[in-house]
């Protein structure tokens, strides 16, 4: 099923909103969730490509909606490029491990692999911290005793007996 719409906003890297159809979950890809590295970059990238543009929405014929009732689709941009695979090529998303619908995601894996090898998007090396770390202060005899640790080295909370 094909329909045309205008992208009004980007909620997450792999979740956009169409003016007529509402929320559209890009199938076959998964972008970083809130709190994960690359989350904002994926949103910004998708926003740059889609917001305010006419999109062609290819709705999944097998299961049109996900468990949150969002439309599941492959989205094409005005230049006929596939938004789902563009995210993979830029390293802004990963391929889902299962076949989500009528899409052959095995054919999309090389796009993600190329991004990984080229260290694009999610796979670019993290910047080294620039702030200098203050040296640790030596413990004095008057400081509080160290908290007990278990066999794994984790701190153990000792509760007072009643």
């Amino acid at each position: 099923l094909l329909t045309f719409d205008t992208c009004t906003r980007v909620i997450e890297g792999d979740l956009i909103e169409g003016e007529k159809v509402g929320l559209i979950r890009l199938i076959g890809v998964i972008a970083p969730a809130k709190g994960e590295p690359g989350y904002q970059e994926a949103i910004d990238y998708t926003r740059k490509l889609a917001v305010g543009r006419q999109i062609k929405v290819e709705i999944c014929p097998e299961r049109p909606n996900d468990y949150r009732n969002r439309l599941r689709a492959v989205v094409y941009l005005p230049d006929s490029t596939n938004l789902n695979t563009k995210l993979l090529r830029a390293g802004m998303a990963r391929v889902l491990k299962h076949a989500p619908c009528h899409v052959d995601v095995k054919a999309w894996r090389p796009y993600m692999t190329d991004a990984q090898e080229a260290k694009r998007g999610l796979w670019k090396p993290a910047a080294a911290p620039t702030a200098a770390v203050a040296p640790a202060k030596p413990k004095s005899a008057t400081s509080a005793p160290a908290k007990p640790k278990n066999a794994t080295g984790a701190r153990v909370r000792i509760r007072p007996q009643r």
Side-chain angles (χ1 to χ4, degrees):
L1 179 65
L2 288 174
T3 187
F4 291 88
D5 205 343
T6 301
C7 178
T8 56
R9 69 182 176 130
V10 173
I11 294 92
E12 291 187 348
D14 56 8
L15 181 63
I16 64 174
E17 186 173 42
E19 191 172 63
K20 293 183 269 184
V21 298
L23 295 179
I24 304 165
R25 171 70 175 81
L26 303 179
I27 58 176
V29 299
I30 186 156
K34 191 170 192 171
E36 293 179 349
Y39 170 75
Q40 191 60 50
E41 292 87 349
I43 289 175
D44 293 343
Y45 184 77
T46 305
R47 187 176 288 142
K48 180 179 82 172
L49 293 174
V51 171
R53 295 199 167 90
Q54 183 81 11
I55 54 174
K56 181 167 78 173
V57 183
E58 182 183 346
I59 301 167
C60 175
E62 296 169 27
R63 198 175 58 147
N65 297 90
D66 70 1
Y67 67 99
R68 292 186 178 166
N69 206 30
R70 302 174 296 195
L71 202 60
R72 299 173 67 238
V74 176
V75 172
Y76 295 92
L77 299 169
D79 63 358
S80 297
T81 57
N82 181 327
L83 176 60
N84 305 45
T85 59
K86 249 184 141 87
L87 289 171
L88 295 171
R89 291 173 192 259
M92 297 296 165
R94 298 179 309 275
V95 173
L96 282 177
K97 295 193 186 302
H98 62 86
C101 196
H102 65 293
V103 176
D104 180 16
V105 294
K106 288 179 186 172
W108 291 3
R109 288 189 190 279
Y111 305 143
M112 183 178 76
T113 303
D114 289 345
Q116 287 173 318
E117 290 171 357
K119 300 189 183 333
R120 288 190 299 266
L122 304 173
W123 293 277
K124 68 180 167 197
T130 55
V133 177
K137 293 181 181 178
K139 291 187 177 187
S140 67
T142 60
S143 65
K147 291 191 177 190
K149 295 183 179 185
N150 65 11
T152 63
R155 289 188 176 162
V156 178
R157 182 174 177 211
I158 301 174
R159 295 184 181 174
Q161 292 184 353
R162 295 179 187 217

